[in-house]
Amino acid sequence: MIKYVLEIKLISPLTSAAGEGRVGLVDRDIAFDKLGLPILPGRRLKGLWRDAYRDVVDAWHQCGNDTTPVEQVFGEIGQRPYHGDACIHIANAELKHILSLKEWLAYLQHPKIRKLHPDDVVQHYATVRAQTAIERLTGAAKENTLRLTRTLKQDLVFWAPVNFADITPDDPLLQALALAAAALNYMGTARTRGLGKVNCRFIEIKPNSEEKDLKPQLNTNVLPSIKSTVLAKSTVNPVTPTTHTGNTSCKTPTHILRYRLKLTSATVIPTSEGDPNTVVSRHDIPGSHLWGIAAWSYLNQPNQSAADPTFRKTFLNGGLRFLNAYPEAIDNQQRMIPIPHSIRKSKKSDNTLYDLVEQPPKDEPIRRLGSVYARMGDDGLETQSVKTERNYHHARAANDRSKGRALGAEVTDGGTLFTYNAIQPEQTFQGTVLGSEEDLAQLKSWLQSPRTVRIGRSRSAQYGEAEFEWIDDNPLSYEDLIEWSGFTVAQPGEAQPDTLEKRLIITTLSPLLAVNENGHPTAVFPIQELANALGIQDNGTPKLLKSYTRTEVNSGYNTHLRLPRQQSQVIAAGSVFKFELDEKITDAQLMELERNGLGLRKAEGFGRIAINRLHLGGEEKQLDDPNNVNTPDKPELNMPSDLSHILKQIVMTYCRTEMQNNAREITTKLPKQNIPSNALLGRLKLFFQHGTIEDSLEQLRKPAKEQLTSYQIDMRECNLSELPNEQTLFGIFKNADTQPNKFTKNMIETKVNELAGDFDEDTRNEIIQTMVNEQSTKLCKEFLDYLTTALRRKSRG
């Protein structure tokens, strides 16, 4: 399979800013992932590439050549595929050939291993620069202007995967993108101050891993064509405007088909939370997203349209119901559910739980749980959190292309800084589709797996990429749907527990969209709809005893119509309602109600309920607690060269610190009256920096030499076991020059064995020997320089 990659080589240091600093370390930090590896965010690459493409288009227009509009390649906001939506997806750029390094870093940084920290990795690929503002009149630095900026080292090479949206790109499109890549020469901050110069190529990776630069030759008088014929025509049938009716009169589903979504990039499913410049993501994948993917897959079939009876029955009249995808348990791949809001945790005990419906605590302080999703059981809850990340972005000035940044809200169309709070990648979500066996079998023929899908906001760059797959080979009977292990209504042939005969506990497993008597959406439980579903007459309306609820605002975006959906107040998932009934309801009626659900838009996962599932309290167990995870297996891949360099850098930092500690220890042990004169220490400092230390020491006159040999220092408390127990300053200086290995080998060997204990002995020995040969002399010179400085400070003190 042919792959396409945008290659970025750093010609100068680069600051791809993360949007925030790290207190006490840097004021402006770079973007890096959870392992500490630097990344170039895909949204920024798309914006820069888009601007470079516009420059190429302008040049071709001046030569009288036709081109493919930039909107058709890079897209416009809120437009559907092949009608202005981006035809490409640009992922985050990572270091070239990074796979084996990521596996080793994930292993060495695992909570059970902890031999490396992400900061160790960041320090290997980046340096910190200091800068100040200068007072023009005095030439001195202004007060309070010192700023520290982290920059990526030059010569690093990044690859950003580029995928095309259901099209096979032709040569003009590839040439246009390659020319735009070649025109992209700067990125990041401080581009006018020597930072951010890059060399970009758009390359094709063939199945045999051969790389081909797609940039055409420009050495003739005829410019190559960059007018794509693929994007000039739609590959799908026209879609007649339709509206989802939300019809709830469809038959009760009889079968299920489970699916799994593994996020391969950060994903943003917007909510109404946050301020105007912050987008906060949901913690689940709404069923409407898979509803849209499945509908588009149907319309993408030959000779299919939205006017087909099958399409209307399946997607518009609720023939299929797409339930929300909730996090998958990390231990057994079971779909988790929202935690009922009636469950609380004791403030006195870390794990004790109470259900306010069944077991109100007596004089016990309680609080809500920190997690949102759990697996319910007889012994309590097994909880798991959804991990999120925060990313900063900026929209540049719309009307002035010369401005490569946001100008602020006070400037019309001046762009703005905004934040995405997104779901972290590498998390798995599981959902279910309900329907008849025939409809589900047809769905699986339209929407085949495995495949890559895109969901949420900013799908064309950096966000929203996921791997979709069907879990079940064939539709299963509805009885196989287990959303909540534990107690439920009695099965056919079993006796109903006495405590449940006239009591009804309803827990919402997804948002519930109800309407009032005038047909308007409302966040009030639909008691009358419940009574009608159970066949209860007006005089026997269920009586609400208790409720533990939350409400939320549900919105969304209809990509087909290119319009935002109406915002509605809904009852949040996990809300609990306890009713008292005047008459006993049969098991069949309760099971029918649980299968059918309540409210509107059930085809998109709304209105899922659980009936009489008892919350018996118990204890909480956190499935994602780092202390409970298993020790991972060591990667089978060989140690990459970059990991060797990272380990060597960590060892060097450790050795420098130890050598400084040794210098301080020696200075402490030496009495002040035996410290050489400042003049002699100054001469020695010059020897260490520029000359041969041994020869210079031997050429010292007798009075000067006596200052260095007048006192014996006990070396047993220093980390220099290879030296004799008693040493003079003269011996320390001379041995550091003639036998540097004695100062460094032991500490290098100790640290390498600590960090690289999982590698084979030959690899460790090679690292140790290489560092001893290459770094011992350098470390000893730094040690002597620090020692003379410490001695001079003590003599002055």
Side-chain angles (χ1 to χ4, degrees):
M1 181 180 178
I2 295 178
K3 300 180 181 179
Y4 299 96
V5 170
L6 177 63
E7 181 185 85
I8 305 105
K9 182 177 181 180
L10 307 191
I11 307 302
S12 69
L14 166 70
T15 297
S16 178
E20 56 186 355
R22 306 177 72 183
V23 178
L25 296 177
V26 291
D27 298 292
R28 184 164 53 189
D29 211 346
I30 61 172
F32 52 86
D33 63 14
K34 62 181 181 180
L35 298 176
L37 293 168
I39 59 174
L40 304 180
R43 280 184 60 93
R44 301 179 196 177
L45 295 177
K46 179 187 174 184
L48 294 166
W49 203 0
R50 180 192 182 101
D51 284 351
Y53 184 91
R54 292 170 65 185
D55 292 338
V56 172
V57 166
D58 290 347
W60 255 244
H61 283 170
Q62 290 181 5
C63 296
N65 290 4
D66 197 7
T67 63
T68 301
V70 63
E71 293 81 10
Q72 219 167 358
V73 179
F74 292 93
E76 288 183 340
I77 296 175
Q79 294 193 345
R80 61 186 186 275
Y82 309 108
H83 294 76
D85 194 14
C87 73
I88 60 174
H89 175 271
I90 307 168
N92 291 339
E94 297 181 329
L95 292 170
K96 183 179 180 181
H97 304 317
I98 203 69
L99 180 60
S100 60
L101 178 59
K102 292 181 75 170
E103 290 191 20
W104 272 107
L105 291 178
Y107 171 75
L108 295 174
Q109 295 179 21
H110 191 274
K112 293 289 187 179
I113 306 296
R114 293 194 183 279
K115 293 185 177 181
L116 285 182
H117 190 275
D119 286 347
D120 300 326
V121 183
V122 173
Q123 292 172 12
H124 173 71
Y125 292 105
T127 58
V128 177
R129 293 188 170 198
Q131 61 188 88
T132 61
I134 301 298
E135 182 65 54
R136 177 172 293 184
L137 296 178
T138 63
K142 293 182 179 179
E143 291 187 4
N144 303 320
T145 62
L146 178 63
R147 295 294 182 270
L148 300 178
T149 301
R150 201 191 301 272
T151 62
L152 292 172
K153 298 177 182 178
Q154 65 185 56
D155 296 328
L156 295 177
V157 179
F158 290 83
W159 273 12
V162 179
N163 299 315
F164 291 88
D166 299 328
I167 64 170
T168 302
D170 55 5
D171 289 340
L173 177 58
L174 296 176
Q175 291 175 357
L177 290 171
L179 289 169
L184 177 52
N185 296 320
Y186 288 92
M187 61 176 58
T189 60
R191 304 179 203 176
T192 60
R193 292 176 172 83
L195 299 181
K197 185 172 179 58
V198 297
N199 182 14
C200 298
R201 298 190 305 157
F202 186 49
I203 59 179
E204 177 183 275
I205 310 296
K206 297 184 177 180
N208 60 358
S209 299
E210 179 184 350
E211 301 177 12
K212 176 185 176 183
D213 191 345
L214 296 173
K215 186 180 72 174
Q217 297 294 326
L218 299 177
N219 55 0
T220 66
N221 294 327
V222 180
L223 293 176
S225 172
I226 59 172
K227 175 64 176 179
S228 173
T229 59
V230 174
L231 299 180
K233 54 186 179 181
S234 173
T235 60
V236 297
N237 297 323
V239 180
T240 304
T242 56
T243 304
H244 182 202
T245 62
N247 194 326
T248 59
S249 61
C250 57
K251 295 182 180 180
T252 302
T254 59
H255 287 73
I256 66 170
L257 199 59
R258 295 175 298 166
Y259 65 90
R260 178 181 290 118
L261 286 168
K262 182 177 181 181
L263 305 185
T264 55
S265 66
T267 301
V268 180
I269 312 293
T271 66
S272 58
E273 299 179 28
D275 56 63
N277 293 331
T278 302
V279 178
V280 179
S281 176
R282 293 172 59 116
H283 289 185
D284 59 358
I285 312 297
S288 58
H289 285 63
L290 190 65
W291 183 91
I293 293 171
W296 184 255
S297 298
Y298 176 87
L299 296 175
N300 206 21
Q301 304 294 316
N303 303 319
Q304 306 287 10
S305 74
D308 296 341
T310 300
F311 183 87
R312 290 187 171 277
K313 168 195 165 187
T314 303
F315 295 105
L316 302 183
N317 296 332
L320 292 178
R321 303 187 185 184
F322 298 85
L323 305 189
N324 293 352
Y326 292 139
E328 193 176 70
I330 59 178
D331 59 346
N332 68 351
Q333 297 184 334
Q334 181 180 335
R335 179 175 182 256
M336 311 193 84
I337 63 170
I339 298 176
H341 296 315
S342 62
I343 294 182
R344 300 289 192 273
K345 178 188 287 190
S346 171
K347 289 185 177 180
K348 295 182 179 180
S349 174
D350 292 337
N351 298 318
T352 302
L353 301 176
Y354 295 95
D355 182 7
L356 302 184
V357 173
E358 301 291 335
Q359 302 170 331
K362 296 181 179 179
D363 301 327
E364 177 82 8
I366 56 176
R367 59 186 174 89
R368 292 183 180 272
L369 279 72
S371 301
V372 180
Y373 300 97
R375 185 169 58 207
M376 309 291 292
D378 299 348
D379 299 327
L381 303 180
E382 294 175 312
T383 61
Q384 184 174 310
S385 300
V386 176
K387 298 179 177 60
T388 60
E389 62 183 31
R390 183 175 56 189
N391 297 319
Y392 292 89
H393 304 287
H394 71 277
R396 288 173 286 180
N399 298 326
D400 190 349
R401 290 167 56 182
S402 65
K403 300 294 190 298
R405 58 185 176 83
L407 302 180
E410 63 276 5
V411 179
T412 304
D413 294 330
T416 185
L417 177 71
F418 59 97
T419 306
Y420 277 176
N421 191 343
I423 305 173
Q424 286 186 8
E426 304 303 322
Q427 297 185 81
T428 305
F429 294 78
Q430 187 180 136
T432 304
V433 184
L434 310 180
S436 67
E437 185 175 13
E438 178 185 0
D439 289 344
L440 291 173
Q442 288 183 340
L443 170 65
K444 196 170 182 184
S445 68
W446 308 326
L447 184 59
Q448 298 181 355
S449 70
R451 62 183 295 177
T452 299
V453 297
R454 296 187 177 93
I455 54 179
R457 181 172 289 191
S458 298
R459 298 190 296 268
S460 63
Q462 187 172 343
Y463 295 99
E465 191 172 63
E467 293 295 331
F468 169 83
E469 66 171 342
W470 293 112
I471 298 175
D472 304 314
D473 295 332
N474 298 296
L476 305 176
S477 175
Y478 191 94
E479 282 71 20
D480 295 324
L481 176 60
I482 302 176
E483 293 185 283
W484 188 336
S485 60
F487 293 91
T488 182
V489 297
Q491 299 299 319
E494 296 180 358
Q496 179 73 283
D498 294 337
T499 56
L500 296 180
E501 282 190 353
K502 293 186 178 182
R503 186 190 62 178
L504 190 64
I505 299 177
I506 294 181
T507 305
T508 58
L509 300 180
S510 67
L512 174 58
L513 177 58
V515 293
N516 58 22
E517 62 275 6
N518 297 319
H520 298 296
T522 180
V524 178
F525 190 89
I527 297 180
Q528 187 58 50
E529 182 183 353
L530 173 64
N532 295 338
L534 296 176
I536 300 176
Q537 302 300 322
D538 293 340
N539 56 0
T541 301
K543 180 181 179 182
L544 181 61
L545 301 179
K546 295 180 180 179
S547 64
Y548 303 90
T549 67
R550 285 184 176 180
T551 61
E552 61 186 31
V553 176
N554 181 269
S555 56
Y557 191 84
N558 192 316
T559 304
H560 166 56
L561 297 177
R562 295 169 53 190
L563 291 171
R565 282 188 158 179
Q566 178 184 1
Q567 293 189 356
S568 304
Q569 284 280 346
V570 299
I571 299 173
S575 298
V576 181
F577 303 86
K578 182 176 181 179
F579 295 92
E580 182 180 35
L581 305 176
D582 293 334
E583 57 187 79
K584 181 179 177 182
I585 304 299
T586 65
D587 296 347
Q589 289 176 295
L590 294 179
M591 292 299 292
E592 181 77 7
L593 173 62
E594 186 171 88
R595 290 186 180 188
N596 236 339
L598 294 170
L600 302 180
R601 294 172 61 181
K602 290 184 281 190
E604 300 173 37
F606 285 79
R608 292 291 299 162
I609 60 175
I611 298 178
N612 288 351
R613 308 297 175 106
L614 303 182
H615 321 147
L616 298 182
E619 294 188 347
E620 177 189 11
K621 175 185 177 183
Q622 297 181 7
L623 296 179
D624 50 358
D625 187 351
N627 297 321
N628 295 333
V629 296
N630 297 325
T631 303
D633 296 330
K634 184 177 70 174
E636 298 180 357
L637 300 173
N638 294 329
M639 181 179 69
S641 58
D642 273 15
L643 180 56
S644 176
H645 297 323
I646 293 172
L647 294 177
K648 290 178 181 178
Q649 178 173 307
I650 296 173
V651 173
M652 278 294 293
T653 302
Y654 167 79
C655 290
R656 285 193 181 98
T657 303
E658 287 299 307
M659 293 296 254
Q660 291 179 3
N661 292 336
N662 291 336
R664 282 193 291 267
E665 189 69 27
I666 291 172
T667 303
T668 302
K669 293 179 178 298
L670 190 66
K672 187 172 182 179
Q673 62 270 19
N674 295 103
I675 296 178
S677 65
N678 281 339
L680 178 57
L681 291 174
R683 289 179 60 194
L684 293 174
K685 200 173 185 69
L686 291 176
F687 293 162
F688 304 152
Q689 293 175 353
H690 306 291
T692 303
I693 298 176
E694 182 183 13
D695 294 342
S696 301
L697 289 174
E698 295 295 343
Q699 293 175 7
L700 289 175
R701 295 182 180 180
K702 184 177 180 181
K705 189 177 291 187
E706 287 179 350
Q707 293 185 52
L708 303 177
T709 58
S710 62
Y711 189 82
Q712 295 280 341
I713 303 172
D714 188 355
M715 303 297 294
R716 285 173 291 186
E717 296 183 10
C718 299
N719 189 22
L720 299 170
S721 57
E722 299 294 327
L723 294 176
N725 294 338
E726 301 290 336
Q727 284 278 285
T728 63
L729 282 177
F730 186 90
I732 292 174
F733 294 157
K734 183 176 180 180
N735 288 333
D737 180 52
T738 58
Q739 298 176 316
N741 295 2
K742 289 187 176 182
F743 284 76
T744 61
K745 184 176 181 180
N746 181 61
M747 63 180 67
I748 289 175
E749 185 174 2
T750 300
K751 193 63 177 179
V752 169
N753 287 332
E754 175 188 338
L755 294 175
D758 295 296
F759 300 103
D760 58 88
E761 186 176 357
D762 292 339
T763 301
R764 295 199 306 272
N765 291 337
E766 181 182 355
I767 296 175
I768 293 170
Q769 194 59 45
T770 301
M771 291 202 65
V772 169
N773 294 338
E774 296 178 355
Q775 304 296 338
S776 291
T777 300
K778 180 180 179 180
L779 283 170
C780 283
K781 286 189 175 182
E782 292 179 2
F783 162 72
L784 294 177
D785 184 71
Y786 190 87
L787 177 59
T788 54
T789 301
L791 290 171
R792 295 179 72 176
R793 288 175 178 171
K794 184 172 181 177
S795 67
R796 290 196 299 267

